């Protein structure tokens, strides 16, 4: 590990307390950074009050901290304004919010284009919308490597496509999506683009304006912050044109028995008490992320990913899913070992303090396209090192000894 990165592990309380643990499941949940945890504790200890309701000093301090958290997220995403940031409970809630609120502006016969590689969170809400409104749902296929096959994008969009909703990076194969190609094609037919950034955010700050997307969704727990909080970025003119999804406190202009008017975004989409401390914790994690040298971290993650892929390729009967080149993927590596169930593999690995996830990874359509029912996934984050990769490769040798 590069000299400057060796101390990173000690900045994560759980990893610092468990030196024997090889945590290789950051695609499911990244460990929380000390700055995020401290910010949550500080807030709950000193400023705990509801937001946008109280007029006393404590409530105003909570309001200020919550506003600042929104500003930090806007900076992390390079959004044009903090009002383009909606706090939700997670990426799943953000994606459902678009499917419900933007979805309510669609009509039967309008098309939504998603891909085979989507996490169920960006698959099922669109099926539900199809059921409710009669929209057409179309699928971008994947190549044998699990990358989005964009060869027939214009035909898949047709002339009635209103939204393309795709993942920025697969949670199974780590394959990055060619977002620029999708945005260019979408603009030609006037379609909007929703990017599921759940797997991208832990690999560095994002720039929604450079990406050219209209909506962007992610979760706090995948980028070193608290659980229970997520973000939906939406271009301000689009949010302003969308009806609310949930009704309740905080999202109204005025309520009478006859009628209710809506607050402006982002409050229109934040009915009820938002995840205040979690948003503040997330902002602390993002603030910390924005101080890091991401070129160096990417080089580190890619080196580990390359080492892992090389080692896996030497294991007989092991099939690597996704692009073979480490440079074409985020450091997420899934594999199938003929005749062995991923749950059994993960159990043997767990006995050696290796935390990996086995199963369908909430991406059953992708796994079906790749011809497997389940697979084992190792996901690498900035705090991993070569010892983690060596331990995994040794663990897999043990798996083969004990299970075959
Ligand atoms: N999209 C992708 C690509 C994901 O990997 C995940 C989480 N595995 C989600 C969406 C959903 O995130 P959450 O469970 O935090 O809502």
């Amino acid at each position: 590990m590069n000299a400057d990165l060796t101390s990173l592990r000690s900045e994560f309380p759980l990893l610092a307390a468990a030196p024997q643990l090889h945590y290789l499941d950051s695609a499911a949940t990244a460990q929380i950074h000390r700055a995020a945890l401290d910010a949550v504790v500080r807030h709950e200890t000193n400023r705990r009050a509801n937001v946008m309701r109280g007029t006393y000093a404590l409530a105003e301090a909570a309001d200020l901290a919550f506003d600042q958290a929104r500003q930090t997220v806007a900076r992390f995403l390079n959004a044009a304004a903090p009002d383009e940031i909606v706090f939700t409970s997670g990426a799943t809630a953000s994606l459902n919010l678009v499917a419900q609120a933007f979805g309510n502006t669609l009509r039967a016969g309008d098309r939504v284009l998603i891909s085979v590689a989507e996490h169920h969170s960006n698959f099922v809400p669109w099926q539900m919308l199809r059921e409710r409104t009669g929209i057409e749902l179309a699928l971008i296929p994947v190549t044998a490597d699990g990358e989005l096959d964009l060869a027939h994008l214009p035909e898949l969009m047709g002339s009635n496509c209103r939204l393309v909703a795709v993942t920025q990076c697969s949670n199974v194969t780590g394959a990055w999506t060619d977002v620029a190609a999708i945005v260019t094609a979408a603009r030609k037919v006037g379609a909007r683009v929703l990017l599921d950034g759940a797997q991208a955010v832990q690999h560095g700050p994002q720039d929604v304006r450079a990406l050219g997307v209209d909506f962007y969704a992610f979760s706090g727990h995948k980028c070193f912050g608290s659980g229970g909080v997520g973000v939906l970025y939406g271009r301000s003119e689009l949010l302003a044109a969308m009806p609310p999804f949930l009704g309740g406190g905080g999202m109204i202009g005025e309520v009478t028995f006859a009628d209710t008017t809506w607050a402006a975004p982002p409050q229109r989409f934040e009915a009820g008490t938002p995840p205040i401390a979690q948003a503040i914790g997330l902002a602390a994690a993002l603030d910390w992320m924005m101080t890091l040298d991401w070129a160096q971290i990417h080089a580190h993650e890619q080196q580990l990913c390359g080492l892992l892929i090389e080692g896996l390729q030497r294991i007989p009967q092991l099939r690597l899913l996704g692009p073979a080149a480490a440079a074409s993927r985020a450091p997420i590596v899934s594999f199938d070992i003929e005749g062995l169930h991923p749950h059994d593999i993960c159990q043997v690995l767990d006995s050696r303090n290796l935390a990996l996830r086995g199963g369908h990874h909430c991406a059953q359509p992708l796994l079906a396209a790749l011809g497997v029912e389940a697979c084992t996934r190792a996901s690498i984050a900035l705090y991993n090192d070569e010892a983690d990769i060596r331990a995994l490769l040794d663990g897999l040798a043990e798996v083969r000894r004990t299970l075959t």
Side-chain angles (χ1 to χ4, degrees), residues 112-179:
V112 172
L113 182 60
I114 59 174
S115 90
V116 172
E118 299 314 306
H119 185 280
H120 295 166
S121 298
N122 196 33
F123 208 101
V124 181
W126 303 110
Q127 291 177 313
M128 290 161 69
L129 181 67
R130 178 177 61 185
E131 201 64 23
R132 216 175 62 239
T133 64
I135 58 146
E136 286 174 18
L137 194 54
L139 273 183
I140 301 173
V142 290
T143 64
D145 274 352
E147 294 180 283
L148 299 205
D149 181 352
L150 302 181
H152 303 289
L153 200 50
E155 294 91 308
L156 286 169
M157 279 187 191
S159 56
N160 56 337
C161 186
R162 298 288 168 261
L163 181 77
V164 187
V166 288
T167 190
Q168 190 177 4
C169 168
S170 161
N171 67 313
V172 177
T173 64
W176 290 103
T177 298
D178 183 350
V179 179

Side-chain angles (χ1 to χ4, degrees), residues 27-28 116-120 142 145-147 167-176 199 222 305 312 319-323 329-336 357-380:
V116 172
E118 299 314 306
H119 185 280
H120 295 166
V142 290
D145 274 352
E147 294 180 283
T167 190
Q168 190 177 4
C169 168
S170 161
N171 67 313
V172 177
T173 64
W176 290 103
Q199 289 300 336
K222 292 203 206 274
C305 188
L312 292 176
R319 178 180 160 213
L320 195 63
L321 305 175
R329 54 158 92 207
I332 299 174
V333 183
S334 292
F335 55 89
D336 175 49
R357 167 121 168 240
H360 58 58
H361 308 285
C362 303
Q364 284 181 323
L366 176 60
L367 265 59
L370 296 172
V372 290
E373 263 181 33
C375 58
T376 307
R377 179 183 73 188
S379 47
I380 294 164

Side-chain angles (χ1 to χ4, degrees), residues 243-259:
F245 164 35
L246 295 175
M251 49 72 74
I252 54 96
E254 190 180 0
V255 180
T256 65
F257 184 63
D259 203 6

